[in-house]
Amino acid sequence: MIRDAQNTFGTNINLATDTVSTNLIHVGGGDAVNQMYLYVNANTAIVGTGGSISLETSDAENFGTKTVLGTYPLSTGVGEQVKARLPIGCKKYLRLAITKGSITAGTVIAYLAYDVNIK
């Protein structure tokens, strides 16, 4: 899997304190012919339960009007958390929104990739 810095939401997103991804990804609007995948991996152990990551899209950089494309649960421990095809309906910008639940610790790396190993 190849990771492009321009398609990275963040390399150390802190699930205990952050509410949105540190980077917006400008995809230009519209759906790509070659579908991309959202990939999220826990760098450090996720402690707690009930957390999730939502993929949001908007035509405005400030996300004044946004659409949630998908919500993905987070599990405890380290390793792969999300490997999902980017849903249809992308607007100009993408970001991740974090719902903490009872998560007290853990960091993730999150980015878009053209290929992931789905088992």
Side-chain angles (χ1 to χ4, degrees):
M1 176 175 9
I2 298 172
R3 183 172 64 89
D4 180 348
Q6 290 183 334
N7 289 329
T8 302
F9 291 106
T11 56
N12 279 310
I13 300 171
N14 188 329
L15 299 175
T17 60
D18 294 340
T19 56
V20 295
S21 59
T22 54
N23 297 332
L24 300 179
I25 296 178
H26 184 273
V27 291
D31 298 307
V33 174
N34 294 328
Q35 284 288 295
M36 296 183 82
Y37 292 85
L38 170 63
Y39 181 80
V40 179
N41 187 71
N43 298 328
T44 61
I46 297 174
V47 178
T49 59
S52 65
I53 289 182
S54 296
L55 180 63
E56 298 178 342
T57 190
S58 178
D59 282 323
E61 194 170 354
N62 68 1
F63 277 74
T65 303
K66 63 185 177 193
T67 302
V68 176
L69 293 173
T71 301
Y72 310 93
L74 297 170
S75 59
T76 58
V78 296
E80 296 176 326
Q81 296 290 318
V82 179
K83 295 185 289 186
R85 189 179 297 267
L86 198 60
I88 300 296
C90 291
K91 297 179 181 176
K92 275 186 168 182
Y93 298 95
L94 294 173
R95 74 175 181 188
L96 296 179
I98 300 160
T99 301
K100 281 179 38 167
S102 66
I103 291 177
T104 58
T107 61
V108 296
I109 182 172
Y111 55 91
L112 299 178
Y114 282 107
D115 59 342
V116 295
N117 187 10
I118 297 181
K119 294 180 182 180

